[in-house]
């Protein structure tokens, strides 16, 4: 089977040598890692860190064995090795836990901000490490068939990975409280629990867009798990986890709970609801996360209101500038916090990384390593955001936080350039002022947050009396709210009610004979404080004698799993296995896979590796299609590709490719070709464009690309365009472009698709050396479900009606007679599957409206797709 391939490779041995030499040279000139990594090894835990984070790493290395021993005492065994990374490129608060391609816990260097999980911890990274190790122990519990399959396939077989957050978070939160020998404080969660009707279990099991919103699993799930343990004991809860780890249907959890406790989870939940006092009426409030008072608008995980209704993790703070742009911070797909500008229906990401909490006056928060800083735009530029070139970035002045401060949140600047901000030291939040020097405005054991300037006074929220109240620096309480009051903005603040956060008018300040209290007179100078609690300091000293090791990527590079693969269509059945590995830095990767296609009777193979931004890949795959005009391609292909990606997150790739191929229907020798390619893609707001250039041997060239424009706030309009043209001696299936149907390229091709969508027609209906397709689709909101059923792992968010028209043509010389037009409708339902996986289901129908005389296509064509939500 492989003899012709190796014969052809021998004929081109010199080319392969040049190819390999090119790859090695490029690897050699790649600059070193921006921040060289070090690692600590011991007791099955590998701690990876950059030089500036040595103290945190040593505390974690000292704490990990004790945490693992504690979890073991509770029947939760952490499988080794575990790779713990202090990730300088990660900002999201909380651990990212993976069981593949290796057991890994990634901890962002940004300490949690106000009301984020762990925001009152003296050492939040140790708290996150505990949660990460706890989750690793839960995910590793398996018996029965999963344990048997695990021996052959590895860590991918883990039923306990598929559990609702209220179970996993609730278990780990309960154990952490016992580990610390004291309850873990959750002041706002407790207040919402006392003042809000307890949601139904289907809402807590998912991430609804209704009050109280995304963190319902923490608000209600943590006390529920405590309630379950109080009544059925820890052994009962551990028994459920063990039972679930041995199941073959990982999302079916009710009968397992009933087998252990005698009740299903919904039955236990109803008992829990009845056991707690509090409001009993239904709640329909808005889950306000942050807001701006004049004009009133608010934002949460589901979008901006009024504004763009799109899911995203937005920061709590933001402001509306004088041009009507709303500035927020938001996490991108890599967990990096960036400033984002919403103007009209277009969100635009700024290029700077690790920026959050933008505030009035052109001030935000950033960090150097783990240490927080203020980022201040020079005042002469504060009104020029839109005039600055997004490619060149914006220059900020950086102000490092006072010594010992773990986090800054909610900065605001007044007209005189003074900055007020909340700062966290040892888990205690106070208000700080920067006016050329740092000054500490408040000094109490309470949490004091959300500063705001009111002339010469600073307003802030404080829970000195057990509930958050709005206060000023003169000690006057300025809020009339029976529950919790936060976020003063202009003359308003947010008051907690049973139906959400309600904007409420501030009470007037007390009058004095002279003037209102000036914050500069009442300021308390900041005092030095120990960076760590005595227990943490004691753990750190244990590691002082251990030397640092330079980072070795091979300790975490190779994968620990094989993933079964299955593809089914109306014409083909494909089965196989695949795997992927990467080191903890992400600079080195390996991958491989094999798949058998029953229809083609063909074994496909894929193998690749990359070092930093360079890579090499080999693939063997079949490539076949037939058009409506009888054009047919059926080839066996072997390809080698070397590539270079100059930037980590920008989609720019330069590659050199070599292919040998053979017509599978003809008895002939393999032929060959080489080509260089450049691929570029760019996003701007919700718009996206891409371009691909290819230079083939034999004087052949191709250019093709496309774009997508997205408009609208609740009614969405999407425009798309794809086009391509080739020059030189044309080879069908190599230089040509196909149109028709939905886009679905082969798993092993690893190339930008030359198949352009044209709904209403069969796939691959036409093939030519130039092609173009375009379309418009309008989505209308129909229903906002926000509903599931008990513990079924399916939660419906929204349903929309999409109407579309697609048009296109493919011919050697395109004119009006070549145009095809299709139109149709589809229903789009966004949903959450298996507790945490957002997706959408498209189901529709399309008809051919216009076609050339040479075609005789008839509808309808049914469309079904499961993919990413709108």
């Amino acid at each position: 089977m492989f003899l012709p391939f190796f014969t052809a490779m021998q004929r081109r041995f010199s080319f392969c040598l040049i190819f390999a030499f090119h790859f090695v040279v490029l690897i050699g000139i790649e600059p070193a890692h921006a921040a060289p990594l070090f690692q600590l090894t011991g007791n099955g835990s590998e701690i990876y860190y950059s030089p500036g984070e040595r103290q945190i790493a040593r505390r974690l290395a000292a704490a990990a064995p004790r945490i693992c021993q504690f979890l073991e005492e509770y029947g939760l065994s952490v499988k080794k090795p575990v790779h713990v990374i202090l990730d300088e490129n990660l900002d999201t608060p909380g651990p990212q836990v993976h069981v593949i391609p290796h057991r890994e816990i990634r901890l962002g260097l940004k300490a949690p901000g106000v009301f984020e999980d762990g925001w009152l911890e003296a050492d939040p990274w140790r708290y996150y490490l505990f949660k990460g190790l706890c989750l690793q122990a839960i995910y590793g519990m398996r018996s029965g068939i999963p344990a048997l399959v695990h021996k052959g396939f590895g860590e991918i077989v883990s039923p306990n990975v598929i559990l609702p957050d209220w179970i996993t978070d609730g278990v780990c939160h309960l154990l952490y409280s016992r580990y610390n020998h004291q309850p873990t404080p959750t002041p706002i969660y407790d207040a919402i629990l006392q003042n809000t009707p307890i949601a139904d279990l289907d809402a807590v099991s998912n991430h609804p867009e209704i009050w109280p919103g995304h963190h319902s699993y923490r608000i209600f799930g943590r006390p529920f798990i405590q309630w379950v343990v109080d009544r059925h004991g820890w052994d009962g809860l551990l028994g459920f986890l063990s039972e679930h780890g041995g199941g073959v249907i990982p999302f079916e959890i009710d009968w397992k709970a009933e087998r252990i406790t005698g009740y299903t989870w919904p039955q236990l939940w109803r008992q829990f609801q009845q056991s707690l006092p509090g409001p009993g009426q239904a709640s329909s409030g808005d889950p306000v996360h942050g807001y701006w008072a004049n004009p009133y608008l608010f934002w949460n995980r589901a979008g901006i209101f009024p504004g763009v209704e799109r899911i995203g993790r937005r920061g709590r703070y933001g402001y509306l500038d004088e041009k009507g742009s709303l500035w927020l911070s938001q996490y991108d797909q890599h967990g990096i916090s960036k400033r984002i500008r919403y103007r009209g229906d277009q969100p635009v990401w700024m290029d700077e990384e690790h920026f959050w909490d933008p505030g009035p006056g052109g001030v935000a928060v950033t960090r150097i390593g783990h240490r927080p800083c203020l980022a201040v735009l020079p005042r002469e530029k504060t009104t020029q955001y839109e005039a600055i070139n997004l490619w060149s970035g914006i220059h900020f002045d950086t102000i490092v936080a006072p010594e010992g401060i773990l986090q800054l949140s909610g900065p605001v600047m007044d007209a005189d350039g003074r900055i007020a901000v909340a700062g966290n030291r040892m888990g205690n939040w106070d208000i700080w002022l920067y006016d050329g020097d740092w000054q500490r405005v408040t000094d109490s054991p309470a949490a004091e947050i959300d500063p705001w300037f009111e002339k010469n006074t600073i307003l802030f929220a404080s829970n000195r009396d057990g509930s958050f109240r709005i206060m000023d620096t003169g000690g006057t309480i300025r809020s009339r709210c029976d529950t919790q009051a936060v976020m003063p903005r202009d003359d308003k603040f947010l008051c907690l009610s049973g139906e959400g956060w309600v904007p409420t008018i501030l009470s007037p300040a007390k009058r004095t004979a002279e003037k209102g209290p000036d914050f500069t007179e009442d300021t308390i100078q900041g005092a030095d404080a120990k960076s760590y609690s005595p227990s943490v300091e004691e753990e750190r000293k244990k590691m002082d004698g251990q030397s640092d090791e330079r980072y070795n990527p091979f300790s975490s590079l190779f994968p620990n799993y094989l993933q079964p693969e299955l593809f089914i269509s109306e014409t083909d059945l494909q089965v196989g296995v695949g795997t992927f590995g990467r080191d903890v830095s992400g600079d080195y990767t390996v991958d491989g896979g094999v798949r058998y296609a029953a229809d083609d009777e063909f074994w496909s193979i894929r193998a690749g590796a990359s070092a930093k931004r360079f890579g090499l890949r080999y693939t063997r795959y079949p490539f076949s299609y037939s058009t409506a005009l009888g054009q047919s391609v059926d080839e066996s292909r072997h390809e080698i590709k070397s590539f270079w990606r100059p930037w980590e997150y920008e989609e720019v790739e330069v590659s050199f490719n070599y292919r040998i191929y053979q017509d599978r229907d003809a008895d002939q020798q393999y032929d060959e070709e080489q080509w260089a390619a450049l691929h570029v893609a760019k996003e701007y707001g919700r718009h996206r464009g891409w371009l691909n250039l290819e230079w083939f041997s034999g004087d052949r060239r191709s250019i093709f690309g496309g774009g997508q424009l997205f408009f609208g706030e609740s009614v969405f309009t999407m425009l798309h365009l794809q086009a391509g043209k080739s020059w030189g001696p044309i080879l069908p299936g190599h230089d040509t472009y196909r149109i028709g149907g939905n886009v679905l390229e082969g798993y092993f091709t690893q190339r930008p698709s030359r198949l352009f969508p044209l709904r209403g027609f069969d796939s691959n209906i036409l093939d030519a050396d130039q092609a173009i397709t375009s379309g418009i689709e309008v989505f209308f909101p129909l229903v906002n479900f926000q509903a599931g059923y008990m513990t079924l792992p399916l939660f419906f968010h929204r349903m929309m009606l999409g109407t579309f028209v697609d048009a296109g043509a493919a011919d050697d010389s395109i004119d009006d007679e070549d145009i095809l037009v299709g139109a149709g409708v589809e229903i789009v339902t966004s949903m959450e599957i298996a507790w945490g996986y957002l997706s959408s289901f498209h189901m529709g129908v399309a008809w051919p409206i216009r076609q050339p005389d040479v075609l005789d296509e008839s509808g309808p064509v049914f469309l079904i797709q499961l993919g990413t939500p709108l």
Side-chain angles (χ1 to χ4, degrees):
M1 177 174 62
F2 295 100
L3 182 60
F5 166 68
F6 289 115
T7 301
M9 289 295 291
Q10 288 174 347
R11 297 201 319 264
R12 289 293 177 265
F13 185 66
S14 60
F15 172 81
C16 293
L17 286 177
I18 296 173
F19 197 81
F21 175 76
H22 166 77
F23 178 70
V24 170
V25 169
L26 289 179
I27 292 293
I29 64 173
E30 167 71 4
H33 195 282
L37 285 177
F38 292 89
Q39 62 189 82
L40 290 170
T41 304
N43 297 308
S45 298
E46 300 277 353
I47 313 293
Y48 304 88
Y49 60 96
S50 54
E53 313 309 328
R54 186 171 183 263
Q55 286 189 335
I56 296 177
R58 286 176 176 267
R59 295 203 310 272
L60 297 183
R66 194 170 73 178
I67 294 172
C68 291
Q69 180 182 359
F70 173 85
L71 293 171
E72 184 79 39
E73 292 171 358
Y74 277 84
L76 296 176
S77 177
V78 180
K79 297 187 183 333
K80 307 294 176 60
V82 176
H83 302 278
V84 181
I85 305 96
L86 283 169
D87 192 336
E88 64 180 359
N89 290 318
L90 186 65
D91 293 323
T92 49
Q96 288 188 356
V97 180
H98 306 280
V99 294
I100 59 174
H102 46 248
R103 286 181 288 272
E104 177 182 281
I105 303 170
R106 303 192 82 88
L107 308 179
L109 287 182
K110 172 184 176 290
V114 169
F115 295 158
E116 293 174 340
D117 190 29
W119 71 294
L120 297 178
E121 292 293 328
D123 186 350
W125 295 283
R126 186 173 61 160
Y127 169 65
Y128 292 150
L129 174 66
F130 184 97
K131 292 194 71 174
L133 290 170
C134 176
L135 290 174
Q136 283 285 354
I138 292 174
Y139 295 162
M141 296 181 71
R142 59 175 66 86
S143 60
I145 293 177
L148 180 64
V149 177
H150 173 262
K151 294 180 179 180
F153 290 94
E155 288 298 328
I156 195 170
V157 184
S158 181
N160 276 345
V161 170
I162 305 179
L163 280 173
D165 285 333
W166 55 262
I167 292 180
T168 53
D169 176 80
V171 168
C172 295
H173 186 265
L174 169 71
L175 292 179
Y176 183 75
S177 297
R178 294 188 178 186
Y179 177 74
N180 264 2
H181 304 291
Q182 62 183 4
T184 302
T186 55
I188 284 295
Y189 293 166
D190 294 342
I192 294 175
L193 179 67
Q194 296 165 8
N195 292 279
T196 303
I198 299 179
D200 292 332
L201 186 56
D202 64 297
V204 179
S205 289
N206 296 278
H207 301 102
E209 299 163 19
I210 54 177
W211 172 257
H214 176 65
H215 297 297
S216 295
Y217 70 93
R218 292 178 184 163
I219 297 167
F220 303 117
R222 290 176 177 180
F224 174 55
I225 291 296
Q226 179 65 64
W227 180 90
V228 170
V229 171
D230 290 343
R231 281 151 184 78
H232 298 278
W234 168 254
D235 288 341
L237 189 57
L238 182 65
F240 163 77
L241 294 173
S242 300
E243 184 85 6
H244 188 59
V248 295
I249 307 177
F251 52 77
E252 209 304 307
I253 64 175
D254 280 337
W255 72 269
K256 297 168 185 173
E258 186 175 26
R259 183 170 177 176
I260 299 298
T261 68
Y263 300 96
T264 65
W265 285 117
Q267 290 172 338
L268 289 169
W269 186 262
R270 283 191 289 271
Q271 296 174 27
F272 168 68
Q273 286 178 309
Q274 296 167 2
S275 71
L276 293 183
Q281 72 277 11
S283 175
S284 59
D286 294 318
V288 177
H289 191 53
Y291 86 111
W292 192 252
N294 294 309
Y296 178 70
L297 55 92
F298 70 91
W299 53 91
N300 57 33
R301 182 174 176 269
I304 314 295
F305 304 89
V308 182
E309 298 180 13
R310 284 180 65 83
I311 292 174
R313 294 190 60 184
R314 298 169 185 86
R316 183 166 179 262
Y317 300 99
Y319 72 101
L320 195 70
D321 70 15
E322 60 188 25
K323 295 186 178 182
S325 293
L326 176 65
W327 290 88
L328 303 176
S329 59
Q330 187 166 322
Y331 294 108
D332 69 9
Q333 60 181 332
H334 306 289
I336 297 174
S337 184
K338 297 181 179 180
R339 293 183 313 135
I340 187 169
R341 184 191 72 195
Y342 287 86
R343 189 170 188 182
D345 64 358
Q346 291 303 315
V348 178
W349 293 87
M350 300 294 104
D351 284 347
E352 321 92 35
E353 297 182 344
H354 316 301
F355 277 72
W356 57 91
D357 292 2
V363 61
V365 178
T366 185
R367 63 176 174 82
I368 300 174
H370 75 278
R371 190 165 183 182
C373 309
L374 291 176
V376 184
L377 191 70
R379 295 189 62 79
E380 66 274 10
K381 294 183 179 179
T382 56
T383 60
Q384 300 177 9
Y385 285 110
E386 298 177 77
I388 298 174
N389 188 324
L390 295 178
W391 286 95
S392 63
I394 301 174
H395 171 71
F396 281 89
D397 295 328
T398 302
I399 303 168
V400 179
E403 186 68 31
I405 293 293
L406 297 177
Q407 177 65 300
L408 299 173
S409 269
V412 293
M413 179 187 289
D414 71 359
D416 297 323
R418 297 174 293 196
I419 302 170
V421 65
N424 171 17
R425 173 179 281 171
M426 296 278 301
N428 180 54
W429 289 82
D430 286 299
I431 304 301
W432 291 75
L433 173 72
Y434 184 82
D435 188 9
D437 291 300
W438 283 107
Q439 302 173 65
R440 191 171 176 178
V441 177
T442 64
D443 185 15
S444 78
E448 288 163 336
I449 59 174
D450 296 350
W452 188 257
F453 284 104
E454 186 184 67
K455 298 182 180 178
N456 287 329
T457 298
I458 296 179
L459 305 180
F460 55 91
S462 173
N463 67 346
R464 294 180 187 181
D465 63 355
S467 297
F468 279 99
R469 302 283 184 263
I470 305 302
M471 303 182 64
D472 61 28
T473 46
T476 302
I477 295 178
R478 302 287 301 279
S479 56
R480 294 173 182 167
C481 181
D482 295 332
T483 54
Q484 306 283 329
V486 296
M487 288 196 86
R489 290 290 182 268
D490 292 337
D491 60 346
K492 296 183 178 67
F493 66 96
L494 292 181
C495 176
L496 177 64
S497 75
E499 295 196 347
W501 295 98
V502 179
T504 308
I505 301 296
L506 282 167
S507 301
K510 287 184 177 179
R511 296 183 179 274
T512 61
E514 299 293 330
K515 61 178 181 178
D518 190 288
F519 63 83
T520 57
E521 297 174 5
D522 293 338
T523 297
I524 301 172
Q525 297 296 322
D528 291 336
K530 290 184 178 180
S531 298
Y532 317 114
S533 64
S535 61
V536 178
E537 184 72 14
E538 183 179 339
E539 290 176 352
R540 183 189 63 79
K541 290 180 179 179
K542 295 178 183 179
M543 304 301 299
D544 284 345
Q546 185 168 348
S547 61
D548 300 305
E549 297 179 12
R550 288 303 298 261
Y551 172 65
N552 175 12
F554 292 102
S555 62
S556 59
L557 174 61
F558 298 104
N560 61 4
Y561 75 100
L562 289 174
Q563 177 175 329
E565 293 177 345
L566 176 68
F567 174 79
I568 302 175
S569 70
E570 66 275 11
T571 61
D572 199 8
L573 170 65
Q574 299 177 14
V575 294
V577 293
T579 191
F580 170 81
R582 58 161 173 77
D583 75 316
V584 298
S585 73
D587 286 340
Y588 303 89
T589 67
V590 294
D591 67 272
V594 59
R595 182 182 290 185
Y596 179 74
D599 185 62
D600 291 320
E601 298 182 351
F602 196 95
W603 287 95
S604 297
I605 302 171
R606 176 182 55 134
S610 69
K612 299 182 180 177
R613 298 188 183 99
F614 298 90
L616 187 65
R617 179 176 301 283
Y618 163 73
T619 55
R620 176 184 190 264
Y621 64 96
F623 189 82
S624 62
Y625 63 87
S626 297
T627 72
L629 301 183
Q631 300 157 302
S632 179
V633 174
D634 187 10
E635 294 180 352
S636 168
R637 294 180 173 182
H638 300 264
E639 290 182 2
I640 295 179
K641 170 184 176 180
S642 68
F643 58 86
W644 173 46
R645 293 166 183 158
W647 297 283
E648 186 171 6
Y649 297 128
E650 293 290 339
E651 290 192 44
V652 177
E653 179 184 277
V654 179
S655 66
F656 297 90
N657 305 265
Y658 174 70
R659 174 193 293 157
I660 62 173
Y661 58 95
Q662 181 187 41
D663 188 339
R664 297 204 304 155
D665 293 331
D667 185 14
Q668 62 180 36
Q669 293 295 320
Y670 275 83
D671 207 342
E672 64 179 5
E673 60 185 347
Q674 305 95 34
W675 74 96
L678 170 66
H679 175 75
V680 180
K682 181 67 177 176
E683 291 187 5
Y684 183 81
R686 293 186 290 171
H687 310 317
R688 175 178 173 81
W690 60 274
L691 181 68
N692 207 75
L693 304 175
E694 294 181 343
W695 294 267
F696 284 84
S697 56
D699 196 26
R700 297 152 48 208
R701 303 176 305 282
S702 292
I703 179 171
F704 57 104
Q708 185 180 84
L709 304 179
F710 212 106
F711 304 96
E713 297 180 352
S714 60
V715 176
F716 303 113
T717 300
M718 184 181 69
L719 306 173
H720 67 86
L721 172 70
Q722 297 81 214
K725 182 173 176 58
S726 298
W727 295 268
I730 301 301
L731 291 178
H734 295 247
D735 313 281
T736 53
Y737 306 92
R738 290 157 287 134
I739 65 173
N742 286 324
V743 175
L744 181 62
E745 283 281 43
Y747 171 72
F748 286 86
T749 59
Q750 304 292 315
R751 296 179 57 200
S753 176
R754 289 173 175 260
L755 172 59
F756 302 157
L758 184 57
R759 290 167 290 185
F761 298 89
D762 291 336
S763 185
N764 300 309
I765 190 169
L766 292 176
D767 183 26
D769 61 3
Q770 57 182 347
I772 182 171
T773 63
S774 64
I776 180 171
E777 185 159 7
V778 181
F779 299 93
F780 300 92
L782 294 180
V783 184
N784 193 18
F785 291 111
Q786 301 304 308
Y789 183 75
M790 301 299 184
T791 59
L792 288 181
L794 182 64
F795 189 87
F796 293 98
H797 285 267
R798 307 174 188 174
M799 178 180 286
M800 307 187 77
L801 173 67
T803 61
F804 60 84
V805 176
D806 288 349
D811 203 345
D812 297 339
S813 178
I814 296 176
D815 57 33
D816 293 344
E817 300 299 324
D818 299 315
I819 296 176
L820 294 80
V821 179
V825 296
E826 64 177 338
I827 297 293
V828 183
T829 304
S830 60
M831 65 186 77
E832 189 166 347
I833 302 173
W835 303 299
Y837 300 94
L838 289 172
S839 189
S840 66
F841 181 69
H842 295 239
M843 183 173 63
V845 61
W847 291 266
I849 303 300
R850 174 181 171 173
Q851 56 189 306
D853 294 337
V854 294
L855 298 179
D856 186 21
E857 295 288 309
S858 60
V861 176
F862 293 96
L863 309 171
I864 297 178
Q865 177 183 338
L866 184 66
T868 305
L870 292 172

